[in-house]
Amino acid sequence: MEHFGIRYENDLTDKFSEYIVDSVDLLNAQLEHRDLAFFFDTVDVCQQVIGGMHCEDMFGWVVPNDAVKDFEPIWLAGNDRNLEGYDYVCASWEDRDGLPHAVIDGELPEEAYE
């Protein structure tokens, strides 16, 4: 079954894979109100539990929704060299009153990710 924002879901076979899927979903929910989407590339070694949820620090691309139709076919094909014009970010998690919140380090202004 295909999952939005995850390119090679067949690689997610270990016991921590559900944490990656959950983290991508959480991040996309946070970005949705800014008309942005996250496309997963890889995880960092840092994981924490916030509000009962396992949150994986991740790397990937944040793309404006109106650019997804151009970005997604290149990304799905694995042509990462052709994605240099898109915002590659590091998303790490912090606890905000018991709820996970992704702090994103990328090229867009900070308020774009809030």
Side-chain angles (χ1 to χ4, degrees):
M1 183 170 143
E2 190 175 318
H3 187 82
F4 181 81
I6 297 178
R7 179 172 31 190
Y8 303 120
E9 205 165 336
N10 58 330
D11 289 342
L12 299 177
T13 57
D14 68 27
K15 65 181 183 175
F16 300 109
S17 296
E18 69 185 81
Y19 305 153
I20 294 170
V21 172
D22 290 347
S23 296
V24 171
D25 285 347
L26 282 169
L27 184 51
N28 272 314
Q30 179 178 318
L31 294 172
E32 181 177 33
H33 73 282
R34 295 289 188 179
D35 292 324
L36 298 168
F38 177 75
F39 291 86
F40 174 75
D41 185 31
T42 189
V43 294
D44 196 354
V45 294
C46 187
Q47 179 204 96
Q48 56 185 314
V49 178
I50 303 171
M53 293 177 258
H54 291 266
C55 300
E56 299 275 351
D57 289 357
M58 305 176 293
F59 294 92
W61 294 267
V62 171
V63 178
N65 287 344
D66 61 358
V68 166
K69 67 180 177 4
D70 296 323
F71 173 89
E72 194 168 31
I74 300 166
W75 174 75
L76 285 171
N79 294 326
D80 293 358
R81 280 182 255 148
N82 296 331
L83 299 175
E84 289 181 16
Y86 295 94
D87 194 18
Y88 192 80
V89 303
C90 174
S92 56
W93 296 92
E94 63 180 31
D95 187 330
R96 290 200 179 166
D97 297 321
L99 297 173
H101 178 81
V103 177
I104 302 171
D105 181 15
E107 296 298 318
L108 295 175
E110 184 177 333
E111 55 271 5
Y113 306 118
E114 289 295 322

